[in-house]
Amino acid sequence: MTKLPPNPHSLTLEELFKLLETSITGLSVAEAKKRLDTYGPNELEEAPKKSPLKLFLAQFANVLIFILLIAASISFLVGDEIEAVVILLIVLACGVLGFIQEWKADKALAALKEMAAPEAIVIREGKHLKIPAREVVPGDILVLAAGDKVAADVRLVESINLKIDEAPLTGESVPVSKDASLVLPPETPLPDRRNMAFAGTTVINGRGLGLVVATGKATEFGKIAHMLKGVEEEKTPLEKRLAVIGRWLGVLSLIVAAVAAAFGIMRGHSWLEMFLWGVSLAVAAVPESLPAVVTAALAIGVSRMAKRRAIVKRLPAVETLGSTTVICTDKTGTLTKNEMTVKKIWAGDKLFEITGTGYETKGQILYKGKPVDIFHHPDLYHTLLVGLLCNDARLEDGKFIGDPTEIALLVAGLKAGLNPEAFERVAEVPFDSDRKRMSVVVREKANGRYLILTKGSLESLLDISSHYQKDDKIFPLNAQEKQKIAQMTDAMADEALRVMAFAFREVESVPSENEIERDLIFCGLQGMIDPPRPEVREAVKKCHEAGIRVIMITGDHAKTALAIGYDLGIVPEKSPAFALTARELENLSDHELKEKLKKVSVFARVSPAHKLRLVKLLKEDGHIVAMTGDGVNDAPALKAADIGIAMGITGTQVAKEASDIILADDNFATIVAAVEEGRTIFDNIKKYMLFLLSFNLSEILVLIAGFLKGLALPLTAIHILWINLVTNGPPALALGVDPPAPDLMKRPPRPPQEGVFTRRLVALIGAFSVLIAFFLLPVFVYGFSASQSVIFSQTVLFTGFVFMAVAVAYVSRSEYLNIWRYNPLANKWLNLSVLFMVASQIMIVQCPFFNKYLHTVPISEKWWFILAALALFYIFPAEILKSLISRFFR
């Protein structure tokens, strides 16, 4: 086993490479696998998970269940063994069902946690590989870039303008500048180890390479990990609200059950019978499966989101999604394909075209339809050269790796026949979203000359350029020429092209950083297009139908953004009235900007700071805001938004950490799919509540009405528990995973302060429960008068409840639409659960073996037909009530 170096900051790189038996080209894949087995995964120890046995036993950690078990034990002791065993078996079945629900939910959440796990880029066998951060091992070469979260403790091998935020580890609020060339004394304190980068810290600026010297528990962060142990996961607001509701229902149910049991004793029933009966009634009335159903509905819904490429990191985001009123989205890669292709180049007053699409490196540069030699056009040559070399994209094993815009510029240079290997980069000023440009200094290997090459937005380059190139001559850059360049930029942007500007300067030696970006020579523009994703247009339309506004926020030119926005239906026309640039935005007060926000849906040339301001103003106006982002500077806006959405492909680790949802495909349509799933989950929980509470309340109404009318006991304790098992179990769970309602994305967003129990839902629960009782109580009376047998009338009512549960389940599939406006059989799980319910009931009623255990007797075909017809007929008045309630409670 390779020993980890104790003080890597005090050793030279040569010593470390030797100690860790690795090199700058990284480990072999086989060696990395071997080390993963040796050192273990690169992750901190988690709190121990609940064992399946503990999870199962937790299902019985309920006061009512505990009382019921005591009552069953007493029954057993006084000689009523059959009833005691049946009660115990039903309770056990309920426990198994609850265990299955929670176990599946835990599994689904664990799988999602795995999907949202951080990633790292390492060099192995000389190749860049993206792997889960947990698979990083000592001896790996870790690639660091702005926005990345450092995956392990590393000794820096290379550092270019590298600054790291070490606040999570050291408390130092200012980013630390790093220097790979340093060798420090062993006693150097942690905050001063400038040749190291530590797990859990964040790269703020620049780039670098690091040799992994510690992973997992051995990292500096791992040494304080014990402070994080045992932290319980926070319940979602919805789960908390429903827990309170459950407790209130429990108290009310116990009171009702106690009063009813007291009435029974007064009427001559034995205290043991009524004690069992009362506890059974309380168990049936309390929706004890509510937390499990909510967790299952959330977990299964989140799993469905993952299948649709939206990975949810925080469950409360699922609830908030259904209330979203505004989606603020980036353009590139989210609304568009993220396959940038340079189409036009303007240099020296000439407009050139470039053939080939996507990332094909075969193509030609054309002027007026004829191929040109770029070396006869120095301004064109320099425009393409800057794009090729002022660039962090690269071609590796036939695949392009990097930012799509930079890949497009790299491809354009390769199409023109330029060779990036003929130059070496000797200095750089990385891209910054405030400066909106990037600069490099390169040396041409053939003649040793140095060139400063800069690319960025037109405004930012004109600010630092003093001259321009036309053919092979250099001229002062005056106001008239700037206006001409701006007009050409506008003309290209009108064609929905994203325009980048390019400048250069030849120097005798490598200048200092503050001397690089000044007195440059403007050489040209490149216009590229990233076509809209075909599915986005329909997604935007769906948003508008759902009452959700879409706002595009982009760094692109206003005209380019407007053209795309109009094409996708975000704005009604290509009018400047629907767009604002960063400069216009900065000149507006908060009040003025709020007024503009009522109409403007395209924001161009904006920085992450502008995103944050827009989020805050939208929230102040009462909107629930979803915001997309990918860069390290997007993190504040992502955190400030009600729902932060990070890009899974192009997003930095910092953006992913700050977000609630990660888009695995960076696609806007996936956001809309996630909103639909969020609405579906909340909708399904309400369906479950409507079904369960209206049905449970009807049981109480029938039993109390029976007492008040002086009838025999309508149902026994075993009947109540059986109904609880077959109705609160499979059909209730099936409603928790019901497919989206047809009108789901045509309703306005749900107010965030609106709970589960809306006035409409409460009215429906009350109306349905009274209607069920109205239908079933006469069944018991008629059954007794026809047979003069209490057990027969109980069996008829018992079966009537199960049949009625079928009708109520199908009616509860929508609290808005009547049953004839949606396919009632669309939920296959509900259909299967209904078949299970009916088949089970036929078995326990018609089979003599079960009669003696469940206190039932066989009933004739006539009664089966009457009960089925009654349940079917219930649907019509229930749907009439639904329509009436919809008129009063919208």
Side-chain angles (χ1 to χ4, degrees), residues 103-223:
W103 185 73
K104 282 187 174 179
D106 281 358
K107 285 285 183 186
L109 292 174
L112 290 166
K113 189 175 178 183
E114 188 71 26
M115 290 177 73
E119 295 177 318
I121 296 176
V122 296
I123 299 174
R124 288 182 182 169
E125 298 178 358
K127 296 176 183 177
H128 287 66
L129 300 175
K130 184 181 277 190
I131 62 170
R134 69 187 304 275
E135 294 179 12
V136 172
V137 296
D140 264 329
I141 302 297
L142 196 63
V143 179
L144 304 174
D148 288 351
K149 194 163 187 180
V150 182
D153 285 3
V154 299
R155 167 68 156 86
L156 293 170
V157 177
E158 179 183 291
S159 57
I160 300 170
N161 299 311
L162 189 63
K163 291 182 180 178
I164 294 181
D165 175 12
E166 295 185 342
L169 186 65
T170 65
E172 177 60 56
S173 58
V174 179
V176 180
S177 294
K178 296 294 182 177
D179 187 347
S181 65
L182 298 175
V183 177
L184 302 167
E187 65 275 9
T188 305
L190 193 69
D192 296 332
R193 295 176 191 173
R194 292 178 52 225
N195 60 357
M196 297 282 295
F198 302 102
T201 61
T202 302
V203 181
I204 297 299
N205 192 62
R207 56 192 176 86
L209 296 176
L211 170 61
V212 177
V213 294
T215 59
K217 293 184 293 183
T219 63
E220 295 297 331
F221 212 94
K223 291 171 186 175

Side-chain angles (χ1 to χ4, degrees), residues 198-323:
F198 302 102
T201 61
T202 302
V203 181
I204 297 299
N205 192 62
R207 56 192 176 86
L209 296 176
L211 170 61
V212 177
V213 294
T215 59
K217 293 184 293 183
T219 63
E220 295 297 331
F221 212 94
K223 291 171 186 175
I224 57 170
H226 66 278
M227 295 167 61
L228 305 173
K229 282 186 182 179
V231 177
E232 290 187 14
E233 285 198 19
E234 187 76 7
K235 288 188 179 293
T236 72
L238 177 61
E239 288 174 311
K240 289 176 181 176
R241 285 200 299 269
L242 291 179
V244 172
I245 292 165
R247 282 197 293 272
W248 275 106
L249 287 171
V251 171
L252 289 172
S253 300
L254 279 171
I255 292 169
V256 170
V259 171
F263 263 109
I265 292 169
M266 287 167 60
R267 291 187 51 204
H269 292 281
S270 73
W271 70 269
L272 179 59
E273 180 190 11
M274 294 318 297
F275 179 65
L276 265 174
W277 184 87
V279 175
S280 300
L281 180 59
V283 168
V286 176
E288 71 279 346
S289 60
L290 183 56
V293 168
V294 172
T295 306
L298 285 169
I300 293 166
V302 167
S303 297
R304 285 200 304 221
M305 283 190 202
K307 287 176 185 173
R308 296 176 79 170
R309 314 296 289 161
I311 300 165
V312 176
K313 289 179 60 197
R314 300 180 181 95
L315 277 183
V318 176
E319 300 164 36
T320 314
L321 273 170
S323 302

Side-chain angles (χ1 to χ4, degrees), residues 442-674:
V442 299
R443 186 181 71 85
E444 190 168 5
K445 294 175 182 177
N447 54 29
R449 71 172 181 148
Y450 291 94
L451 289 170
I452 296 171
L453 309 175
T454 302
K455 75 169 192 290
S457 69
L458 177 65
E459 296 94 332
S460 69
L461 258 69
L462 290 182
D463 287 343
I464 56 173
S465 296
S466 57
H467 292 76
Y468 73 97
Q469 184 177 35
K470 185 174 179 180
D471 295 324
D472 58 351
K473 295 179 181 177
I474 308 297
F475 302 95
L477 184 61
N478 54 35
Q480 185 180 354
E481 194 61 34
K482 285 183 180 181
Q483 186 178 2
K484 186 195 292 184
I485 296 168
Q487 287 172 347
M488 177 50 65
T489 303
D490 288 345
M492 292 170 80
D494 283 340
E495 298 178 44
L497 295 176
R498 182 183 184 188
V499 185
M500 291 199 77
F502 302 85
F504 75 103
R505 176 161 60 99
E506 189 170 341
V507 290
E508 292 181 0
S509 60
V510 180
S512 61
E513 185 174 324
N514 60 358
E515 291 289 313
I516 291 175
E517 293 185 338
R518 69 176 187 83
D519 295 330
L520 298 180
I521 300 164
F522 178 86
C523 54
L525 306 168
Q526 292 193 51
M528 60 198 82
I529 189 165
D530 181 9
R533 293 178 183 262
E535 65 274 18
V536 168
R537 196 173 287 106
E538 184 60 34
V540 170
K541 182 184 174 187
K542 190 180 277 190
C543 279
H544 291 162
E545 288 175 348
I548 301 169
R549 192 162 161 225
V550 180
I551 294 177
M552 181 201 296
I553 301 176
T554 177
D556 265 358
H557 194 281
K559 289 193 173 181
T560 306
L562 259 178
I564 295 288
Y566 173 71
D567 188 23
L568 293 173
I570 293 172
V571 292
E573 56 184 280
K574 292 183 190 176
S575 166
F578 296 103
L580 271 182
T581 63
R583 286 185 180 179
E584 292 168 329
L585 188 150
E586 284 170 354
N587 291 329
L588 295 173
S589 67
D590 283 355
H591 176 73
E592 290 169 330
L593 184 53
K594 276 185 184 179
E595 288 301 309
K596 287 280 187 184
L597 269 168
K598 292 175 182 176
K599 185 177 183 181
V600 173
S601 294
V602 171
F603 290 86
R605 284 292 192 249
V606 296
S607 69
H610 296 135
K611 280 188 176 184
L612 182 59
R613 186 184 176 198
L614 290 171
V615 168
K616 286 181 176 177
L617 293 180
L618 285 165
K619 287 180 73 174
E620 282 177 17
D621 258 7
H623 286 288
I624 303 299
V625 184
M627 167 67 77
T628 69
D630 55 9
V632 61
N633 291 336
D634 287 331
L638 291 173
K639 281 188 175 179
D642 296 286
I643 303 164
I645 303 172
M647 302 296 107
I649 299 171
T650 59
T652 60
Q653 197 58 47
V654 172
K656 292 175 186 176
E657 288 285 331
S659 68
D660 304 293
I661 294 174
I662 298 171
L663 298 186
D665 57 1
D666 292 11
N667 191 341
F668 177 81
T670 303
I671 303 173
V672 182

Side-chain angles (χ1 to χ4, degrees), residues 694-742:
S694 58
F695 194 74
N696 288 3
L697 187 56
S698 72
E699 282 184 83
I700 295 173
L701 290 176
V702 168
L703 295 169
I704 290 175
F707 266 126
L708 293 176
K709 283 183 69 67
L711 302 174
L713 200 64
L715 294 172
T716 67
I718 289 175
H719 294 157
I720 295 169
L721 290 173
W722 177 266
I723 292 169
N724 185 49
L725 173 65
V726 297
T727 60
N728 288 19
L733 284 174
L735 284 172
V737 293
D738 205 40

Side-chain angles (χ1 to χ4, degrees), residues 849-866:
F849 174 78
F850 292 103
N851 291 157
K852 63 178 179 180
Y853 297 116
L854 289 159
H855 300 179
T856 57
V857 292
I859 58 177
S860 66
E861 292 177 2
K862 180 189 83 170
W863 278 101
W864 286 106
F865 176 79
I866 290 171

